[in-house]
Amino acid sequence: MFATLVVLLLTGFPVAFTLGGTGLLFGLLGMATGTLDASFLEILPNRIYSNTIRNELLFAVPLFVSMGVMLEKSNVAEDLLESMGKLFGSLRGGLGISVTIVGALLAASTGIVGATVVTMGLLSLPTMLKRGYDPALATGAIAAAGTLGQIIPPSIVLILLSDVISSAWQQAQLKNHIFSPTPVSAGEMFAGALIPGLALVGLYILYQAATALFRPKTSPAIPREKGEKLDGAFYRSLLTALLPPLLLIIAVLGSILTGIATPTEAAAVGAIGAILLGAARADKKARLIVMVTLLSLLLILGIAATSDLRLGREAMPFMDQLAFIAAVILCVIFTAGLAYALVRTYKSGVLSDVMQATTRISTMIYTILLGAALFSLVFRGLGGDTAIEDMLHSLPGGHTGALITVMLIMFVLGFFLDFIEITFVVVPVVAPALLAMPGSQGPIWLGILMAMNLQTSFLTPPFGFALFYLRGVAPESVPTTAIYRGVIPFVIIQVIALLIIALFPHMVTWLPAQLFHG
């Protein structure tokens, strides 16, 4: 059944229908041969309703997607790259380092790999080539920075992985006779990914600094243009470009990690913040209105934290009544400001593009979810999960041997399949067995290992998705072999990072333990 699925996926047929069709085909074969009880498929509507439709975590997906697409369409990346290029460009390797930093910021604010690679390829690659950068180093830095959206939270990959890993963790606990299983939250997964993600960014920058030191011709310093100074005006423009997306990242990620908001609530904050940010880039009047809107929101939060706004009490103190009236007025101001931002982004054509892209991406993800639900149900009904578990237990080396085998399989599948297919098809099959085996370091550690592994396969020649995205926007003067040569050092860095996480699990588990179980 699994082999048939892989073959059909390689034909290019739509993934969701391939998953559902393969599940249905083998379900009918199972019923015809008596190896699958027909009543088993009756579970499907309940599974879809409870695991997909009523799953509040998955509501975060379209919200995070809309946040990312809005920031992409609002030319945030262009301003960031220009400002960072001026700041670091006069250093050897500075342009490459600025690309990595901007890639990390875009990863934390958009989380969409293809969009980030294409945007940075269009904006920074021509400049790097024009300034004498080695094409291999330039393309490698862009492709690697673009894939940081896989591992740096908030990431669509981590949202989907946390849902699948949570289910696998509960199954593993039941197998080990723990009958009150604990779930895994997306917040824990985000916290677990934060230190490895930042460490990976540090390793990228370290490699580029070393390359600039030992091979200076590959990444020359860029002399400042005549009259160009790093004066107060420059730093004001840098803050204007850097501060809004940075505050949005802190608001979204900080609210999740501190437990103030759930990932879905934080995603809603991010989506609204991105709309306001998109409107603020229009002109001074729009910026002023957006600032007033944000100020009203902050005042609402301050009032809610310091006053009791509940109505229906027998005696409501005069100060609480004033606070309630002020909160209502501020809510009206905020609503009016948000409506203005929506109208402004709609008139510019950005909002329509964002909504269409969000609908298209979200529909694809949800349709794949439905197909994967049917596939995994039939796969389990035919005893596939038991067969996989027995195979993993029989491998030499125990948990370590099984983990290495699974990681290699996922790495190879990452050449041909998107992370969504691997998350919904492969992870539910192998994760319960790995988590139930002695030696496992827990679901967060396994989830981050898998996310890092998928990120590595995005870069690996000859089929890495990031390479195809970059090839599509790179000038014809840059040969494909240069792109392949350029990404190999970054793939090696990612493999090293993967080994470090495997050998030192506390890199992943320490922060979630402090924030959620301290």
Side-chain angles (χ1 to χ4, degrees):
M1 183 181 178
F2 192 82
T4 302
L5 174 70
V6 172
V7 170
L8 290 174
L9 285 172
L10 292 176
T11 64
F13 198 72
V15 173
F17 304 118
T18 302
L19 282 166
T22 306
L24 188 61
L25 173 65
F26 278 83
L28 293 171
L29 285 173
M31 288 187 286
T33 55
T35 52
L36 181 69
D37 189 348
S39 62
F40 198 77
L41 291 178
E42 293 175 8
I43 306 170
L44 183 64
N46 287 331
R47 285 191 67 176
I48 289 173
Y49 184 69
S50 59
N51 295 348
T52 305
I53 295 173
R54 293 191 62 188
N55 190 339
E56 286 191 15
L57 178 61
L58 293 178
F59 294 166
V61 171
L63 293 168
F64 273 131
V65 170
S66 67
M67 170 184 161
V69 178
M70 177 61 81
L71 290 174
E72 178 208 339
K73 301 285 185 186
S74 301
N75 299 326
V76 171
E78 190 172 346
D79 288 356
L80 282 173
L81 279 168
E82 187 179 340
S83 301
M84 289 292 179
K86 287 179 182 177
L87 185 64
F88 293 106
S90 58
L91 303 172
R92 246 189 264 147
L95 262 184
I97 291 170
S98 67
V99 161
T100 301
I101 293 171
V102 172
L105 289 169
L106 291 176
S109 53
T110 65
I112 303 170
V113 171
T116 307
V117 173
V118 169
T119 302
M120 294 208 301
L122 285 169
L123 295 176
S124 58
L125 185 57
T127 305
M128 294 174 85
L129 295 175
K130 183 181 173 184
R131 298 293 188 174
Y133 264 69
D134 177 48
L137 180 63
T139 52
I142 291 168
T147 58
L148 287 169
Q150 294 275 94
I151 193 67
I152 293 181
S155 157
I156 303 296
V157 180
L158 296 176
I159 288 275
L160 299 175
L161 255 179
S162 65
D163 186 53
V164 175
I165 286 285
S166 180
S167 176
W169 176 232
Q170 291 180 59
Q171 290 177 48
Q173 290 176 95
L174 290 172
K175 284 179 183 176
N176 288 332
H177 308 294
I178 300 171
F179 297 109
S180 55
T182 55
V184 176
S185 69
E188 290 176 281
M189 193 70 83
F190 284 178
L194 197 57
I195 293 174
L198 294 176
L200 188 62
V201 173
L203 288 173
Y204 284 174
I205 292 173
L206 195 63
Y207 165 72
Q208 290 183 81
T211 304
L213 182 63
F214 296 110
R215 294 167 55 206
K217 289 184 179 179
T218 61
S219 47
I222 301 167
R224 298 199 190 284
E225 293 180 11
K226 192 175 181 180
E228 185 179 272
K229 297 178 183 178
L230 297 186
D231 52 10
F234 167 76
Y235 285 110
R236 279 195 295 275
S237 68
L238 177 64
L239 278 176
T240 304
L242 186 61
L243 207 55
L246 202 57
L247 288 175
L248 189 61
I249 292 163
I250 292 168
V252 172
L253 197 54
S255 61
I256 295 171
L257 296 181
T258 54
I260 295 171
T262 65
T264 305
E265 291 163 349
V269 170
I272 288 173
I275 290 169
L276 292 171
L277 185 57
R281 301 176 70 79
D283 52 41
K284 286 185 178 179
K285 178 190 171 185
R287 273 197 293 277
L288 182 62
I289 291 173
V290 166
M291 286 175 70
V292 170
T293 306
L294 290 173
L295 181 62
S296 66
L297 179 60
L298 290 173
L299 290 172
I300 291 168
L301 293 173
I303 290 171
T306 56
S307 304
D308 188 347
L309 301 178
R310 291 175 300 160
L311 295 176
R313 288 178 286 165
E314 288 184 8
M316 190 173 181
F318 178 69
M319 291 306 294
D320 282 353
Q321 291 180 32
L322 279 180
F324 180 81
I325 293 167
V328 170
I329 293 169
L330 289 168
C331 281
V332 171
I333 294 170
F334 175 77
T335 306
L338 181 58
Y340 170 83
L342 286 167
V343 170
R344 193 68 197 242
T345 50
Y346 175 74
K347 284 183 177 178
S348 66
V350 171
L351 187 63
S352 299
D353 291 345
V354 169
M355 291 299 102
Q356 287 176 22
T358 301
T359 305
R360 188 168 56 251
I361 295 168
S362 303
T363 303
M364 177 194 72
I365 291 172
Y366 272 91
T367 312
I368 291 172
L369 258 171
L370 298 180
L374 176 56
F375 179 88
S376 61
L377 183 66
V378 174
F379 192 81
R380 284 197 173 90
L382 294 173
D385 55 340
T386 308
I388 294 290
E389 188 176 344
D390 292 343
M391 182 199 75
L392 291 176
H393 279 285
S394 65
L395 289 169
H399 178 267
T400 304
L403 182 66
I404 291 170
T405 303
V406 167
M407 287 293 156
L408 286 172
I409 291 169
M410 287 180 68
F411 181 77
V412 174
L413 286 175
F415 293 166
F416 311 102
L417 306 181
D418 196 87
F419 72 88
I420 300 172
E421 294 98 85
I422 295 175
T423 301
F424 291 146
V425 177
V426 180
V427 178
V429 173
V430 298
L434 285 173
L435 291 170
M437 293 173 74
S440 171
Q441 296 294 329
I444 305 296
W445 175 73
L446 180 63
I448 301 307
L449 274 179
M450 288 178 166
M452 185 76 81
N453 191 0
L454 288 174
Q455 183 187 352
T456 306
S457 65
F458 252 81
L459 276 180
T460 308
F463 303 112
F465 282 97
L467 308 183
F468 289 122
Y469 293 139
L470 187 57
R471 176 67 277 175
V473 296
E476 290 183 9
S477 58
V478 178
T480 304
T481 51
I483 298 175
Y484 287 177
R485 278 190 292 109
V487 297
I488 287 171
F490 291 95
V491 172
I492 293 169
I493 289 169
Q494 287 195 332
V495 171
I496 291 168
L498 197 61
L499 288 172
I500 292 170
I501 294 170
L503 294 172
F504 302 100
H506 286 296
M507 273 188 73
V508 174
T509 58
W510 178 79
L511 191 57
Q514 297 299 312
L515 292 174
F516 295 93
H517 308 290

